[in-house]
Amino acid sequence: MSRFFRKTNVLLFLTLEGAFLVILCVIAFVYNFNWETMFERYQREQLTVNAYKMMDDMRNEQLTSGPFTEDQTMWLSRRATLYGILIRYSEKKGGPPWFDMFVRVPDQKQMVVQEFAVVAKGETAGLLEAGYLRSLSELDPNVVAYRRTMRSRSEWLFGIVAAVSVFFSYFAAKLLSRHLLKLQETAVKIRFGNRSVFAPVKGPEEVRQLALTLNDLSRELKRQEDWRHQLMEDLTHELRTPLTSILSQLEAMIDGIYEMNQEYLEQIYEELIRLSRLMNDMERLSEAEAARFTINPRRSNIVRLVERVFRNFQSMAKGKGVKLEFYNPNVPCYAEVDRDKFVQVVANIVSNAVKYTHEGGRIVLGVNYSEDATIVFCSDTGIGIGPEDLPYVFNRLYRADKSRSRFSGGVGLGLSIAKALVEAHDGRIEVESELGQGSVFRVIIPNRYKKDERGEAS
Ligand code: ADP
């Protein structure tokens, strides 16, 4: 039962209907009150008019002073009844009355009374008190009928307006809650795994916002599911080859087909090292993809951070016979980054550049800036990436040339990690490359500071 009353459409209906009835009661009260006041004023005016008519008649009949005979009393009574008033006539105020109809009224507080001095032949002959009863029974039957009609009409009107308000509230509540019900239906479908449904963005603003959020949620769930699905496929694919190779080599040794020599064991060892590197990189990728929730961005001088990476890689480049240079823009370039994660991004790119550049090649690492972004670039004269591979280099576990990368020890996760980390900073990563000529990687981090703030702090 309480669940029924918690329903939005029931609540809306009750609220609307309640509001309607309160407004209706207020209108009815004000209307009635006004009507009663007007009616009372009319009655008082009528009383005065009738009292003057009564006094004229009394003067004409020369009945301006008592005591009166029975016939005269009857005449006075008939006249007063004709005019629809009650009268008491006495010599002076508080004196014994010559004629009194007020005694007929059990509760005199119910009466409205006015006093008139009756003047005859230039002298005050007596005091006429004229009144009427507030209760209907003593009034003019026409007025009573009129009052009754008015009252029953008001009641009808009240009833009709109340009924219309019930219908109106019912339909308004239904209309407003309809959009919510639609959202609920969509949410239930999403809950049961249907990711292709979208809630219609309709109705009041809050409901529209809710629908948009629900649709975003559904899209995000789909993205996550696809990601997980793809990851499982990639991982299975990546793990199967080395595991099969290790297994078959071990089986051959156990079966005595291969003798257990140093060379075979080293091959197995290398495969296992690669597998463990894959696991480590997968872990780092999963961290990087969750980084948008965990990064700790701080205003940092990107030139310094990149220079640090440059210094770290110098000996490695030298060891490989590759020239590694640093392009310094000679102004501090500030951006809001998580320093450790940003260094990781640049390190991944530089490590690739060193890895894929032959002896005698050249790598330039540097920082640039534009009006609204800070750009880190790394250009090399390495082996380059073919156009068929270029769109996929940021994909997980993608290697442009499997045998070559396998030889270089890469598992195809470095760039996906870099991309996820850059996106966690609301930035983007781009590549331009030509096979055999070299590649340029660019990391673009949007500025949160205006240009004139550049160089203020270190
Ligand atoms: P890996 O661990 O294989 O290097 P990455 O995700 O870092 O994986 O890179 C993906 C692929 O992109 C690499 O396998 C390689 O083929 C290509 N690649 C990345 N950087 C370069 C570069 N500087 N020059 C040429 N090829 C590159």
Side-chain angles (χ1 to χ4, degrees), residues 352 355-356 380 385 393 398-400 404-405 410-412 414-415 439:
N352 274 350
K355 209 155 51 177
Y356 299 111
D380 62 59
I385 307 162
V393 287
Y398 190 86
R399 297 188 299 260
R404 181 186 73 195
S405 299
V411 291
L415 286 181
S439 322

Side-chain angles (χ1 to χ4, degrees), residues 281 348-357 378-380 382-386 389 392-402 404-406 408-417 431 433 435 438-441:
D281 281 358
N348 277 4
I349 292 169
V350 180
S351 113
N352 274 350
V354 177
K355 209 155 51 177
Y356 299 111
T357 304
C378 177
S379 71
D380 62 59
I383 57 174
I385 307 162
D389 292 316
Y392 308 108
V393 287
F394 295 109
N395 289 8
R396 273 192 314 265
L397 299 166
Y398 190 86
R399 297 188 299 260
D401 177 340
K402 309 273 166 180
R404 181 186 73 195
S405 299
R406 222 174 149 77
S408 68
V411 291
L413 283 175
L415 286 181
S416 351
I417 292 172
V431 59
S433 188
L435 202 58
S439 322
V440 185
F441 281 85

Side-chain angles (χ1 to χ4, degrees), residues 146-350:
Y146 176 69
R147 271 188 100 162
R148 261 203 208 116
T149 319
M150 284 306 283
R151 174 143 301 159
S152 84
R153 270 187 200 169
S154 304
E155 280 163 8
W156 268 104
L157 201 67
F158 187 88
I160 291 169
V161 174
V164 169
S165 78
V166 169
F167 276 108
F168 180 80
S169 308
Y170 175 76
F171 285 113
K174 218 174 151 112
L175 203 75
L176 286 172
S177 61
R178 199 183 61 191
H179 302 296
L180 277 175
L181 282 175
K182 277 247 159 7
L183 282 191
Q184 193 208 5
E185 276 169 25
T186 314
V188 169
K189 281 183 192 156
I190 293 172
R191 142 108 178 64
F192 285 107
N194 190 343
R195 300 280 178 268
S196 54
V197 284
F198 288 102
V201 185
K202 281 182 184 165
E205 189 50 35
E206 290 82 355
V207 179
R208 278 167 195 254
Q209 289 303 324
L210 195 61
L212 286 174
T213 314
L214 191 67
N215 292 344
D216 282 350
L217 194 73
S218 168
R219 260 190 293 269
E220 179 67 22
L221 273 175
K222 181 162 168 35
R223 211 180 61 82
Q224 297 266 343
E225 273 167 17
D226 290 350
W227 182 83
R228 225 169 304 148
H229 184 73
Q230 189 62 44
L231 185 69
M232 284 308 287
E233 269 185 11
D234 293 349
L235 256 184
T236 328
H237 178 80
E238 273 310 298
L239 290 174
R240 189 175 293 126
T241 326
L243 277 179
T244 318
S245 144
I246 293 170
L247 268 179
S248 57
Q249 289 190 63
L250 280 176
E251 269 168 17
M253 282 187 213
I254 290 166
D255 294 346
I257 301 167
Y258 283 178
E259 57 181 274
M260 212 166 32
N261 65 19
Q262 181 81 11
E263 191 192 338
Y264 290 142
L265 283 176
E266 263 169 22
Q267 271 178 23
I268 293 173
Y269 179 73
E270 258 171 39
E271 288 290 3
L272 284 174
I273 289 282
R274 224 181 73 73
L275 276 180
S276 95
R277 193 164 47 223
L278 174 68
M279 289 302 125
N280 286 342
D281 281 358
M282 285 306 293
E283 201 178 356
R284 281 202 295 142
L285 175 65
S286 133
E287 272 169 25
E289 290 195 336
R292 62 187 155 131
F293 307 112
T294 57
I295 59 163
N296 178 21
R298 276 194 293 160
R299 191 173 190 235
S300 319
N301 184 356
I302 300 294
V303 180
R304 276 201 190 164
L305 293 182
V306 174
E307 203 174 4
R308 205 161 87 198
V309 181
F310 161 74
R311 266 191 248 109
N312 289 347
F313 275 91
Q314 243 178 351
S315 64
M316 186 179 161
K318 205 177 255 173
K320 220 190 148 189
V322 174
K323 202 169 172 200
L324 179 60
E325 292 168 13
F326 179 62
Y327 170 80
N328 193 329
N330 290 323
V331 281
C333 296
Y334 285 95
E336 270 194 55
V337 293
D338 183 312
R339 292 178 187 169
D340 290 341
K341 299 206 159 84
F342 193 75
V343 164
Q344 199 182 333
V345 170
V346 183
N348 277 4
I349 292 169
V350 180

